[in-house]
Amino acid sequence: FHRLQEMNGDVAGWIYCEGTPINYPVMKGADNDFYLGHSYDGANSRSGSIFVEAANRPGFADANTILYGHHMKDGSMFASLEKWADQEFYEEHPVMWLFTPKQDYKVILFSGYTTSANSEAYTIFSDSGKELEEYLEKCIGKSDFEADVSDRIQEEGTGNIADKYIVLSTCSYVFEDARYVIHGFLVPVG
């Protein structure tokens, strides 16, 4: 991270999912426009970057943090998110990894579905609580795949549902302004 942040102080982390193209730096800019058309080194790029919602607090401090990435025709960036609509694909890829300068996380995926760009999927919760719990239950109810999250989190030794999670978002072409989103709990490791 030291070398990446020397190149660009907006580097907030790195997201990785084994067996998929997802293996990218995560940026945190001042707005949601710059990294739509710029790579992690600041150069112009049609692919853009994976980036954190500008309204989120830095350092994945909110109860949920939203990450955006383009749905590239060549399968890069977040194009593969829609593959999680298939139960078998989910079972082969139930976790991702999020590495940050201060903490690494195992991302336990628990929901994925098509939604509108203006849906409640993009609600930011600064802290956990009853509203967040109700929201998460709705997300699980919409999911294209079934995930027994409580068992998986028990296996990780945390004993309960994680306090923080991420929402990964990309364009979908099912209807106008459609998005495919995946939700995952952040379980600290190391």
Side-chain angles (χ1 to χ4, degrees), residues 38 61 146:
H38 293 84
E146 288 186 34

Side-chain angles (χ1 to χ4, degrees), residues 64-104:
N64 71 317
T65 300
I66 302 166
L67 277 63
Y68 301 106
H70 281 307
H71 185 278
M72 300 303 291
K73 288 181 182 177
D74 67 1
S76 64
M77 305 312 285
F78 274 176
S80 60
L81 291 187
E82 286 185 313
K83 291 184 177 184
W84 270 271
D86 177 67
Q87 182 71 29
E88 188 175 331
F89 188 86
Y90 161 73
E91 289 172 6
E92 292 170 0
H93 307 88
V95 299
M96 291 188 189
W97 295 90
L98 177 67
F99 307 106
T100 75
K102 294 185 178 180
Q103 177 68 59
D104 295 336

Side-chain angles (χ1 to χ4, degrees), residues 167-189:
V167 180
L168 311 177
S169 174
T170 195
C171 289
S172 176
Y173 302 103
V174 178
F175 54 84
E176 189 173 338
D177 289 332
R179 301 292 185 267
Y180 198 83
V181 295
I182 293 184
H183 300 266
F185 290 108
L186 295 179
V187 177
V189 295

Side-chain angles (χ1 to χ4, degrees), residues 153-171:
I153 288 177
Q154 292 277 344
E155 288 169 18
E156 298 300 321
T158 61
N160 57 21
I161 297 295
D163 292 333
K164 295 183 180 185
Y165 75 98
I166 58 174
V167 180
L168 311 177
S169 174
T170 195
C171 289

Side-chain angles (χ1 to χ4, degrees), residues 83-95 108-113 139-152 180 183:
K83 291 184 177 184
W84 270 271
D86 177 67
Q87 182 71 29
E88 188 175 331
F89 188 86
Y90 161 73
E91 289 172 6
E92 292 170 0
H93 307 88
V95 299
I108 298 178
L109 306 178
F110 67 90
S111 178
Y113 54 90
C139 294
I140 291 168
K142 296 177 191 176
S143 185
D144 293 329
F145 59 83
E146 288 186 34
D148 193 344
V149 183
S150 58
D151 284 353
R152 194 171 300 274
Y180 198 83
H183 300 266

